[in-house]
């Protein structure tokens, strides 16, 4: 039987390798002529997380690339985040109820329709791989949320900057080369990150929380256990000091972690809160990073809480 | 794999891209030809894939993975071309009657025809896996990476495809045996 298979394999391979005189010179010349008028898409993996960006948003988006930390944390905390008093609860309910009836119409301003489902990294939009190994679907509860179905970000009014921005960015290992992959390394000091990258990545919830809690140059809350969509997780609130001077930091960046070698998550502005809700999806860490500021309106935090709480996760490696 | 060339091309160096493309274009065309079973479609797919590679190259995060990434774009272009045609045109270019035939295991014209027909009957998904693995010699994990599917799915598709091709050859053998017995 195995011999039959071997013979078939040899025959098929021989047949496939028959010389068919395929000469691509003509095609190559056409392409080389065309690239003169075909601009490259400049490093969009760096910026794809937030499509409507000013410079600061780009900085926020630079973060996104590989590791997915799903910050589904603390909805009630979000409601009280302005006070710096996190009180997340497993049983908390979103203060804004998503509207999901029929097919929502798309607003003219390009924001996501209220009640629509937003799929993170929906690469089918550009014909890319249909299976990223993980699928996260969110429901949009209110108007004014901008996102990119292909890139996996959300921001209220496209603004994630101080003093009142709010947004969600998710990191996870996927199958997609463009989204990246790799382990998460938590820097010892977000300001002096260049010399404080650990030798080993964080691979468990406890390791992630321990590393985040121990970071220098910033404040952090006590990690709390929670579950979301049947997956165990831990969340922690991180705060960038109000008087932090990013220009004094390595390369002017205040970095929390990096996925792989080239996908750092770094802060937008001093005073930024990051609610990191880390889930364990069958051994893969997924990070929801909910970004907001002391000036972010409570109503926006409620919406963000509802979005995070609506997340459904499918894991299919 | 010259990662320096890839990095240069990522930064818009057309000379570096030309070198990368020239070294691979024939292989891309041959692979897409075998996947699509149509030379014109294969040319279009190769052209689109090369343009996509140029356009999206700055988005490739790891230059060392250029080949796997480029195969993904090639496969994507093949799927796009296949979706634009409902009809598979007869193709004699891959198996031209006037090509010299070596006295190898492939043997007879009948075998080639049987293989060709069997291969055409495979789905696009299955043909793609066979070509990536048995023509481009990618190991299963790299096929999975190129297609963005689990390795188990690759193995399953390959198993199904090879079983179908074996059946096509077996049918040919039975037919030949019956004719000889008559």
């Amino acid at each position: 039987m195995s011999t039959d298979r071997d013979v078939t394999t040899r025959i098929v391979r021989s047949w496939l390798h028959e010389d068919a005189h395929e000469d691509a010179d003509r095609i190559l010349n056409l392409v080389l002529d065309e690239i003169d008028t075909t601009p490259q898409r400049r490093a969009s993996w760096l910026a794809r997380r937030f499509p409507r960006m000013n410079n600061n948003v780009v900085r926020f988006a630079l973060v996104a690339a590989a590791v997915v930390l799903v910050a589904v944390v603390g909805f009630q905390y979000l409601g009280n985040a302005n006070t710096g008093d996190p009180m997340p609860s497993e049983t908390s309910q979103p203060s804004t109820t998503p509207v999901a009836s029929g097919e929502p119409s798309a607003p003219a301003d390009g924001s996501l329709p209220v009640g629509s489902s937003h799929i993170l990294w929906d690469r089918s939009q550009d014909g890319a791989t249909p299976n990223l190994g993980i699928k996260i679907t969110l429901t949009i509860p209110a108007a004014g949320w901008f996102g990119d179905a292909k890139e996996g970000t959300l921001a209220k009014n496209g603004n994630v900057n101080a003093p009142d921005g709010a947004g969600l960015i998710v990191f996870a290992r996927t199958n997609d080369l463009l989204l990246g992959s790799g382990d998460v390394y938590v820097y010892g000091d977000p300001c002096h990150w260049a010399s404080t990258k650990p030798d080993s990545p964080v691979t468990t919830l406890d390791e992630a929380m321990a590393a985040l809690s121990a970071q220098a140059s910033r404040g952090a809350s006590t990690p709390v256990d929670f579950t979301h969509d049947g997956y165990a997780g831990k969340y922690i609130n991180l705060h960038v000091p109000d008087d932090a001077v990013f220009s004094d930091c390595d390369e002017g960046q205040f970095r929390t972690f990096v996925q792989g070698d080239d996908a750092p998550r770094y802060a937008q502005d001093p005073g930024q809160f990051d609610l990191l809700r880390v889930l364990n999806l069958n051994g893969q860490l997924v990070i929801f990073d909910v970004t907001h500021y002391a000036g972010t309106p409570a109503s926006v935090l409620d919406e963000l809480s509802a979005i995070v709480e609506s997340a459904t996760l499918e894991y299919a490696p | 794999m010259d990662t320096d060339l890839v990095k240069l091309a990522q930064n818009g160096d057309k000379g570096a891209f030309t070198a990368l493309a020239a070294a691979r274009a024939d292989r891309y065309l041959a692979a897409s030809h075998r996947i699509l079973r149509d030379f014109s479609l294969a040319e279009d797919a190769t052209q689109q894939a090369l343009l996509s590679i140029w356009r999206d190259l700055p988005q490739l995060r790891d230059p060392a993975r250029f080949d796997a990434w480029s195969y993904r774009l090639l496969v994507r272009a093949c799927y796009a071309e296949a979706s634009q045609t409902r009809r598979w045109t007869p193709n004699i270019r891959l198996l031209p009657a006037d090509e010299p035939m070596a006295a190898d295991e492939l043997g007879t014209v009948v075998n080639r025809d049987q293989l060709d027909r069997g291969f055409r009957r495979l789905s696009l998904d299955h043909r793609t896996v066979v070509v990536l693995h048995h023509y481009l010699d990618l190991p299963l994990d790299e096929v999975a990476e190129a297609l963005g599917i689990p390795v188990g799915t690759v193995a399953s598709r390959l198993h199904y495809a090879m079983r179908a091709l074996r059946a096509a050859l077996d049918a040919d053998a039975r037919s030949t045996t019956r004719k000889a017995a008559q």
Side-chain angles (χ1 to χ4, degrees):
Chain A
M1 192 64 182
S2 62
T3 300
D4 289 344
R5 280 200 293 270
D6 292 343
V7 170
T8 303
T9 298
R10 281 203 301 274
I11 290 174
V12 170
R13 289 179 67 86
S14 177
W15 176 67
L16 287 171
H17 282 83
E18 281 190 319
D19 183 8
H21 307 295
E22 288 123 340
D23 184 347
D25 283 352
R26 186 181 71 84
I27 302 300
L28 185 58
N29 289 332
L30 288 173
V31 170
L32 295 179
D33 286 343
E34 201 163 339
I35 65 172
D36 287 333
T37 56
T38 304
Q40 289 185 307
R41 293 172 178 158
R42 304 308 312 174
S44 66
W45 66 267
L46 290 174
R48 69 169 179 265
R49 295 289 181 172
F50 287 95
R52 296 174 72 243
M53 302 177 185
N54 55 31
N55 288 339
N56 282 334
V57 179
V58 172
R59 287 164 48 201
F60 183 91
L62 280 172
V63 174
V67 185
V68 181
L69 282 179
V70 175
V72 181
V73 174
F75 307 105
Q76 286 188 341
Y77 161 71
L78 280 173
N80 296 280
N82 315 48
T83 66
D85 182 20
M87 295 187 301
S89 165
E90 293 181 27
T91 58
S92 60
Q93 297 297 318
S95 57
T96 305
T97 303
V99 178
S101 58
E103 190 66 25
S105 58
D109 64 359
S111 62
L112 297 167
V114 176
S116 65
S117 293
H118 179 70
I119 301 173
L120 298 178
W121 318 299
D122 185 0
R123 307 295 294 178
S124 64
Q125 299 288 307
D126 60 1
T129 176
N131 181 4
L132 297 179
I134 183 171
K135 179 180 179 182
I136 299 174
T137 306
L138 309 164
T139 300
I140 305 303
W145 285 94
F146 289 81
D148 187 322
K150 291 183 294 185
E151 312 303 347
T153 56
L154 283 173
K156 181 69 173 182
N157 299 320
N159 172 34
V160 291
N161 305 323
D164 57 0
L168 169 66
I169 186 169
V170 179
F171 289 80
R173 184 191 295 272
T174 74
N175 293 337
D176 196 295
L177 293 175
L178 296 182
L179 282 171
S181 61
D183 293 319
V184 175
Y185 295 82
V186 177
Y187 295 111
D189 185 335
C191 187
H192 304 293
W193 50 268
S195 58
T196 60
K197 181 183 174 183
D199 294 332
S200 301
V202 294
T203 57
T204 67
L205 293 173
D206 286 338
E207 288 177 0
M209 291 299 118
L212 291 166
S213 298
Q215 279 190 322
S217 304
R218 78 178 324 157
S221 68
T222 301
V224 177
D225 294 331
F226 73 101
T227 60
H228 182 90
D229 205 20
Y231 296 102
K234 288 178 181 287
Y235 67 78
I236 187 171
N237 189 65
L238 306 176
H239 182 238
V240 181
D242 294 342
D243 58 356
V245 180
F246 288 178
S247 60
D248 290 342
C249 299
D250 297 335
E251 297 185 17
Q253 297 175 358
F254 193 92
R255 291 187 175 190
T256 301
F257 59 81
V258 61
Q259 182 180 25
D261 294 326
D262 56 0
R265 171 68 173 114
Y266 55 87
Q268 306 289 117
D269 289 306
Q272 174 177 327
F273 290 97
D274 286 285
L275 188 57
L276 295 189
R277 193 160 175 133
V278 186
L279 292 172
N280 181 345
L281 269 69
N282 303 328
Q284 299 284 344
L285 296 185
V286 179
I287 305 173
F288 282 84
D289 186 338
V290 182
T291 292
H292 59 101
Y293 301 87
T296 303
S299 60
V300 173
L301 293 177
D302 287 343
E303 294 170 13
L304 194 49
S305 296
I307 289 170
V308 173
E309 186 166 330
S310 74
T312 60
L313 299 94
E314 298 173 44
Y315 180 66
Chain B
M1 181 64 241
D2 190 339
T3 55
D4 290 337
L5 272 182
V6 175
K7 290 176 183 174
L8 287 171
Q10 284 186 301
N11 288 312
D13 187 321
K14 292 175 183 173
F17 174 76
T18 300
L20 288 170
R24 292 165 176 80
D26 285 354
R27 197 164 169 80
Y28 292 164
L29 179 60
S32 56
H33 188 186
R34 282 152 179 77
I35 291 171
L36 292 166
R37 314 300 300 157
D38 182 284
F39 195 72
S40 294
L41 292 177
E43 285 188 317
D44 290 345
T46 302
Q47 183 175 352
Q48 287 309 311
L50 287 169
L51 283 171
S52 295
I53 290 168
W54 163 256
R55 192 174 54 242
D56 294 341
L57 197 47
Q59 302 179 12
L60 174 64
R61 299 178 57 222
D62 183 356
R65 298 167 81 181
F66 173 80
D67 280 324
W69 175 78
S70 65
Y71 284 136
R72 176 177 293 194
L73 297 187
L74 180 68
V75 168
R76 193 182 302 170
C78 287
Y79 274 65
E81 288 300 322
S83 69
Q84 292 175 14
T85 179
R86 299 264 179 207
R87 181 171 62 90
W88 294 100
T89 55
N91 185 340
I92 60 173
R93 190 164 176 141
L94 183 61
L95 305 171
D98 58 352
E99 275 190 10
M101 292 185 184
D104 55 16
E105 288 177 307
L106 191 50
T108 66
V109 174
V110 176
N111 262 350
R112 286 183 169 84
D113 289 345
Q114 289 294 114
L115 269 176
D116 190 36
R117 280 195 290 273
F119 203 70
R120 286 172 185 276
R121 282 197 293 268
L122 296 180
S123 69
L124 185 59
D125 287 339
H126 290 135
R127 288 200 302 271
T128 300
V129 168
V130 171
V131 170
L132 292 184
H133 184 60
H134 285 309
Y135 178 68
L136 295 178
D137 295 323
L138 299 183
L140 295 187
D141 59 338
E142 291 185 21
V143 175
E145 187 175 23
L147 298 179
I149 59 177
V151 174
T153 304
V154 172
S156 172
R157 288 180 185 178
L158 192 61
H159 172 77
Y160 177 89
M162 295 305 291
R163 189 177 64 182
L165 292 174
R166 192 178 309 121
L169 290 171
D170 288 346
D172 172 51
R174 285 195 298 273
S175 172
T176 303
T177 301
R178 278 198 301 273
K179 288 178 182 175
Q182 288 173 351

